[in-house]
Amino acid sequence: MLLKDKVIVISGVGPGMGQSLARIAAAEGAKVGLGARNKAFLDEVAADIRAKGGEAIALPTDVTSAEQCQALTKATLDAFGRIDGLINSAYAHGEWKPTDIANVEEYADVFNVNCAGALRMAQACLPGLKASKGAIVNVSTMSTVNPFPGEGAYSAGKGGMNALTRHMAKDFGQHGIRVNVTRMGWIGGAPVWGHIDREVAAGRDRDEVIGEITQRIPIGIIPPEEDCAKAVLFMVSDYSKVVSGASLDVNGGQYMAP
């Protein structure tokens, strides 16, 4: 099992890839501490993990609050006694508007979640990660390097996270902690299927909408959410034990870093 006996904290456990990260981490042997703003959904994911024989605790967590980040960390330590990994998958998107007409003030709010929120969680987990010489994975987006219309706020916040990752790799590295970032492309899960459904409801052909996406992806499919989550989880496993400060592109080849 990829994560046997590890304790992993995961923020942003929502209906998208966050819940897959939680469920697959538990299936791979990890005990998980789960945070998100939606308590009902969070409790549902944790209950499902426990029903399948896994171990999970869940605490409503807004990563813009240092106190709530610390509370999730404490709850995880109280339950499981250690922390081996942190996955920062919480995010805010902001309005779908191009930068020439975007609300600049909203950018600060998005940055506070996407970038500063990741650092708050990392600092909260730092004592536990020092003890285990663990790993942090910051979940970012392909749009930071391959711009997509309307994602300026989201991408700017995640772009800050990309740069932050390298600084964290330097600074946390002195404690034996690895820090990496995954830049996700299209993910075949609830948010993307919802986007496709809305296009179809507006009168478009489903195959045409999907084809517009997959024609840009060399492997020819929308990468399934579960497979994307596994790529992220690899970065908190011992199979990446000497990798730090790296950016892993998880997008089916749509964007290929030089």
Side-chain angles (χ1 to χ4, degrees):
M1 301 175 82
L2 190 68
L3 301 173
K4 183 175 172 56
D5 298 326
K6 290 190 180 296
V7 176
I8 309 296
V9 175
I10 306 172
S11 72
V13 179
M17 190 177 67
Q19 56 82 28
S20 280
L21 287 167
R23 290 186 166 98
I24 296 172
E28 288 288 348
K31 301 170 184 177
V32 292
L34 310 178
R37 287 174 290 187
N38 186 332
K39 183 180 186 301
F41 185 83
L42 194 61
D43 288 344
E44 179 184 323
V45 173
D48 182 55
I49 288 171
R50 289 192 288 265
K52 292 175 180 174
E55 296 186 58
I57 63 102
L59 193 70
T61 306
D62 183 339
V63 297
T64 66
S65 165
E67 290 77 15
Q68 291 188 34
C69 293
Q70 290 159 4
L72 175 58
T73 300
K74 183 179 185 301
T76 303
L77 287 169
D78 288 348
F80 305 129
R82 61 184 289 139
I83 293 176
D84 299 283
L86 165 66
I87 300 175
N88 280 311
S89 68
Y91 77 94
H93 191 280
E95 291 184 292
W96 284 88
K97 285 187 176 180
T99 53
D100 55 337
I101 60 170
N103 177 5
V104 176
E105 302 308 318
E106 184 187 51
Y107 276 49
D109 294 334
V110 173
F111 180 91
N112 197 20
V113 176
N114 292 355
C115 185
L119 184 55
R120 286 189 195 93
M121 278 302 314
Q123 289 181 342
C125 289
L126 182 56
L129 291 170
K130 279 184 181 180
S132 66
K133 298 191 183 301
I136 299 171
V137 182
N138 294 326
V139 178
S140 185
T141 172
M142 177 178 69
S143 68
T144 59
V145 287
N146 186 20
F148 191 83
E151 291 204 309
Y154 173 57
S155 181
K158 289 295 189 179
M161 174 194 271
N162 295 354
L164 175 67
T165 297
R166 294 187 286 274
H167 284 270
M168 289 174 65
K170 280 273 192 179
D171 299 336
F172 284 54
Q174 65 183 320
H175 307 299
I177 301 166
R178 300 182 294 107
V179 187
N180 295 290
V181 63
T182 57
R183 299 187 298 210
M184 317 304 295
W186 290 89
I187 299 174
V192 167
W193 303 140
H195 161 71
I196 293 170
D197 287 344
R198 287 189 294 273
E199 292 292 299
V200 172
R204 299 194 61 195
D205 177 75
R206 181 174 297 274
D207 289 341
E208 179 186 352
V209 176
I210 293 174
E212 285 181 356
I213 298 170
T214 56
Q215 71 180 355
R216 302 192 293 267
I217 303 173
I219 64 171
I221 61 169
I222 298 174
E225 180 178 272
E226 293 80 7
D227 293 329
C228 293
K230 289 173 184 176
V232 176
L233 293 170
F234 162 75
M235 299 302 276
V236 290
S237 79
D238 288 344
Y239 282 96
S240 60
K241 205 164 187 177
V242 294
V243 180
S244 193
S247 300
L248 177 65
D249 289 309
V250 185
N251 57 44
Q254 183 174 348
Y255 174 82
M256 303 181 192

